[in-house]
Amino acid sequence: MVIEDPLRLLGRLRLGREEFCQRLLTMLILGGPYPQWNTPNAPSDRGARFLLGLDALSFGTGAWKVRPQFIDEFDLPRRHDDEQGGAPDYAMLWPERLWMIELKTETASHRRGQLSGYLALAEHHHPARRIDLTYLTPPMPHTPPAAQARTRFNHLTWAQVIPLITAVWGDGDQVERRAVELLLAALDSIGTGWSAWRTARLQHMPGAELEAPVADTQPTAEPFTEAMALVDATARDGRQRALSHAAMDLQDLQELRLSLRQAICALPGPSPVHHVLPWIWNATTSGGTALTAAGTETGYELRLSRYRKPVC
């Protein structure tokens, strides 16, 4: 299993710059294909070197006794139905420590309360672990989360981390060097229009390699509107449904679930719609198989189920 060619990835999925950079860096860290969300994986030797270097930049860590598990799109479940939940881009897990990393390439994607929300959920779900959070972004203003007894926080910029990327993978094999080349080019494009950058790169891709995007693995233009239509259909016939929508990340899926629940509960009642619950199917814990291509690829999808009693 090898790293997917970056241009093929760029053509196969309509990813934003942030998601494209995340996927490339994940594949480099693992030395293999992009995994399903929230699944533990062992970093490669080079990946472990990079993570240890990033840990040193963040918190002055000198060495690890054991390598951590690496998780892309780390699921921090909601504590109740009216909470969103969280999903930091990366997490490293040791028996005694949780280290989370949130990546940004777009300053506009910074969300108020996101960082403090991650720490609060992590403290709730991992009470026996020390908790660290690294925020890796372009230069941007932000408010650090309040310090807690079990938590540490550090902000890094890509300019600080790019030398580490080139030091670790600069002498890698051809596939790794190609991934690094496109990752650094995408990072260098921060502040410019992503759509034009993506189009220009794909124009240089041999036609035989450029595959037409698979419809069910692409973001839906109006996911909320389409999901509400599925809510109405499920309220009528009771059949469980899944939204065929490739969310950019797990947090987008969590936001969509909460928006649907709030919209359902806000409808005047009594209504059959009040019996429909939006929920997130997880390949690891929910059982069964995915109902959509996006669910098969990521291991997560939004589903709608009808219950006998109102859900709100």
Side-chain angles (χ1 to χ4, degrees), residues 33 44 80 83 99 119 158 208 216 218-220 235 237 247 251 255 260 272 283 306:
S44 68
H80 51 80
E83 185 174 55
W99 173 31
L119 292 175
W158 286 107
D216 285 349
Q218 304 309 308
T220 300
D237 63 19
Q251 188 136 340
E255 289 177 0
L260 288 169
R306 191 180 73 182

Side-chain angles (χ1 to χ4, degrees), residues 62-187:
W64 297 331
K65 292 181 180 178
V66 295
R67 285 188 190 179
Q69 292 180 320
F70 173 85
I71 300 170
D72 181 282
E73 291 297 314
F74 182 56
D75 194 356
L76 290 170
R78 65 186 186 274
R79 291 167 290 190
H80 51 80
D81 281 343
D82 292 313
E83 185 174 55
Q84 177 181 300
D89 293 316
Y90 295 158
M92 271 58 64
L93 274 173
W94 293 264
E96 76 289 349
R97 181 188 179 204
L98 164 61
W99 173 31
M100 301 177 290
I101 303 172
E102 179 69 11
L103 311 173
K104 299 289 187 192
T105 63
E106 319 305 307
T107 57
S109 73
H110 174 79
R111 287 170 277 201
R112 184 179 180 182
Q114 184 179 25
L115 302 176
S116 56
Y118 287 164
L119 292 175
L121 285 168
E123 286 189 293
H124 174 79
H125 291 297
H126 300 271
R129 288 185 165 103
R130 292 185 293 106
I131 297 166
D132 296 327
L133 174 60
T134 296
Y135 198 32
L136 177 52
T137 76
M140 56 182 280
H142 70 284
T143 302
Q148 303 292 331
R150 287 196 298 121
T151 66
R152 293 184 296 179
F153 172 80
N154 192 49
H155 178 232
L156 295 174
T157 65
W158 286 107
Q160 293 172 278
V161 175
I162 284 173
L164 178 60
I165 294 173
T166 56
V168 170
W169 286 288
D171 62 348
D173 61 29
Q174 183 177 358
V175 174
E176 290 173 324
R177 293 198 305 273
R178 183 172 172 83
V180 168
E181 178 187 358
L182 265 292
L183 172 60
L184 297 186
L187 291 174

Side-chain angles (χ1 to χ4, degrees), residues 223-224 227 243 245 252-260 302:
F224 178 84
L243 177 66
H245 164 62
D252 283 347
L253 210 57
Q254 292 168 335
E255 289 177 0
L256 179 57
R257 180 209 66 85
L258 183 58
S259 295
L260 288 169
L302 181 79

Side-chain angles (χ1 to χ4, degrees), residues 49-64:
R49 279 176 52 200
F50 169 76
L51 292 171
L52 181 57
L54 190 62
D55 202 0
L57 286 173
S58 297
F59 304 109
T61 306
W64 297 331

